[in-house]
Amino acid sequence: MTRTIVESKTKTAIIGFDQPFCVIGERINPTGRKKLAAELEAGDFSTVEKDAIAQVAAGATVLDINAGVVYNSNPNPNETEPPLMRKIVELVQGLVDVPLCIDSSVPGALEAGLEACEGRPLLNSVTGEEERLEHILPLVKKYNVPVVAISNDDTGISEDPDVRFAVAKKIVQRAADFGIPAHDIVVDPLVMPIGAMATAGQQVFALVRRLREELGVNTTCGASNISFGLPNRHGINNAFLPMAMGAGMTSAIMNPVALPLTQKAIAEKKEAVAAAGIILPEGMDDETFVQMFGLGSTLPRAGKEMEAIRAANLLTNNDAHGSDWIRFNKPPSAEGDEGRGRGGRAGGRRRRA
């Protein structure tokens, strides 16, 4: 049975066909997050700290670390990204104890992250592009780490699933030339948006089955790609993830956290309540208010996708005695349990001094 071992200094995460689904938290990534990018360039890591703790509390078993900021002061990522990657890895390791996934398109940043990591991180990523294979596979071998293999090559991303399978097979074969076993390769077959390609879901399910049966590899994906550009993306993601798990997918790079309600949304609801003539108790706090009206929470908590994953783990017999499902659905037992989902576990140790 294929098992990919990822480790921190104190904790092991196993990606495998007979294991609970591995959730790789994606939030520590400045791509498309202007505020976070500006903070990182300014040396402010407060959002990174919050995102690390919130994702683990919501159920992430691995955290993806991406330091891809294009600095206004220096647009050369080969110079700026390696030291930033090292800083973030060291910071996150001091906050939480889950294994890490080092994510970059810059080889120097990948190696900086590998050097800073305690344990055995996952490397993200290698593609079928010749230059990428030549740069990344030696790193994988040198540091003895597993790697995400993305199914595109020098011709780009093909819409033909047979071509994407062929690229994955090529990477597995080339990795074998370096002495890298198939169980240390986690293939991303590339999920296309269902809004642009009606067969995208069917394609990826078939691809995952084929990758499992013919190559014996674990698989992952960017889970939110499937719903890109469509309304109610969470609804689509909630259906997609258990179906992908049923097809044999063993991990996903995703956001496990339901983001808290904004003050603007709360204020708008309070105005609507007042306009309806409803009188609220004096001094009611925002969290009580939003809970009363079923709006969610003012605190980070596990997202609906995590609920779907945990239910699928239970239904596929990858949740011993249903203990994780039961624990997840217990209400918080004491003050200070915020950010733990519905009774989820706390997210790691405190930052080291």
Side-chain angles (χ1 to χ4, degrees):
M1 193 65 74
T2 300
R3 290 184 173 183
T4 303
I5 307 299
V6 190
E7 296 174 320
S8 67
K9 187 176 181 179
T10 60
K11 185 170 286 187
T12 297
I14 303 175
I15 305 173
F17 306 148
D18 61 342
Q19 298 293 311
F21 195 71
C22 179
V23 175
I24 304 170
E26 69 178 7
R27 291 287 293 168
I28 302 175
N29 186 339
T31 304
R33 301 180 68 187
K34 292 182 179 179
K35 180 176 180 291
L36 176 57
E39 287 178 357
L40 292 176
E41 184 170 3
D44 178 359
F45 296 91
S46 57
T47 297
V48 170
E49 294 175 346
K50 292 174 185 175
D51 283 345
I53 293 169
Q55 287 182 105
V56 175
T61 41
V62 175
L63 290 187
D64 188 84
I65 307 295
N66 185 303
V69 180
V70 178
Y71 284 5
N72 292 318
S73 57
N74 182 355
N76 185 353
N78 293 305
E79 296 178 0
T80 60
E81 195 168 331
L84 180 61
M85 175 67 82
R86 183 184 297 276
K87 172 65 177 178
I88 295 176
V89 166
E90 291 173 348
L91 174 67
V92 172
Q93 284 180 151
L95 291 169
V96 296
D97 59 2
V98 299
L100 303 182
C101 175
I102 308 302
D103 181 1
S104 179
S105 60
V106 177
L110 290 176
E111 185 149 26
L114 289 170
E115 290 173 349
C117 258
E118 300 170 335
R120 190 175 196 248
L122 179 62
L123 196 67
N124 188 9
S125 61
V126 68
T127 68
E129 298 165 290
E130 286 300 321
E131 183 177 0
R132 193 76 178 169
L133 289 167
E134 292 172 6
H135 278 102
I136 304 306
L137 292 181
L139 279 180
V140 174
K141 180 63 177 177
K142 176 182 177 181
Y143 289 91
N144 184 29
V145 294
V147 64
V148 174
I150 301 178
S151 298
N152 68 281
D153 60 13
D154 296 285
T155 64
I157 300 173
S158 175
E159 293 187 359
D160 184 341
D162 290 335
V163 172
R164 301 208 299 279
F165 176 84
V167 173
K169 185 175 182 179
K170 169 188 172 181
I171 298 172
V172 171
Q173 291 172 337
R174 290 287 291 275
D177 293 340
F178 284 83
I180 301 165
H183 65 249
D184 272 342
I185 299 173
V186 181
V187 173
D188 181 347
L190 291 172
V191 176
M192 305 295 186
I194 194 76
M197 181 187 295
T199 59
Q202 293 170 305
Q203 274 195 11
V204 76
F205 303 147
L207 257 174
V208 166
R209 292 189 189 97
R210 192 176 176 191
L211 289 163
R212 174 173 176 165
E213 292 167 3
E214 296 185 34
L215 299 184
V217 293
N218 282 305
T219 46
T220 194
C221 71
S224 63
N225 288 358
I226 192 70
S227 61
F228 181 79
L230 291 174
N232 189 12
R233 296 185 67 184
H234 293 294
I236 296 171
N237 297 344
N238 291 348
F240 169 74
L241 283 163
M243 294 176 74
M245 292 167 67
M249 186 170 283
T250 47
S251 67
I253 301 170
M254 56 178 282
N255 177 16
V257 181
L259 299 182
L261 286 172
T262 64
Q263 285 299 313
K264 180 181 178 182
I266 295 170
E268 289 174 350
K269 182 62 177 179
K270 285 183 175 179
E271 289 178 5
V273 167
I278 300 173
I279 300 175
L280 299 174
E282 187 175 348
M284 176 182 284
D285 62 81
D286 285 346
E287 180 64 14
T288 302
F289 173 79
V290 299
Q291 292 285 344
M292 175 181 291
F293 289 93
L295 300 178
S297 177
T298 62
L299 306 169
R301 66 201 189 284
K304 296 296 289 185
E305 286 89 344
M306 293 302 298
E307 183 175 297
I309 287 170
R310 285 186 168 96
N313 280 334
L314 177 65
L315 292 167
T316 55
N317 196 31
N318 283 318
D319 178 5
H321 310 295
S323 57
D324 190 53
W325 179 253
I326 293 168
R327 182 168 52 247
F328 178 66
N329 283 280
K330 283 184 177 179
S333 57
E335 186 177 351
D337 283 341
E338 62 270 9
R340 302 189 181 194
R342 295 196 211 163
R345 290 176 293 201
R349 60 185 184 270
R350 293 182 182 273
R351 183 180 176 184
R352 292 194 295 263

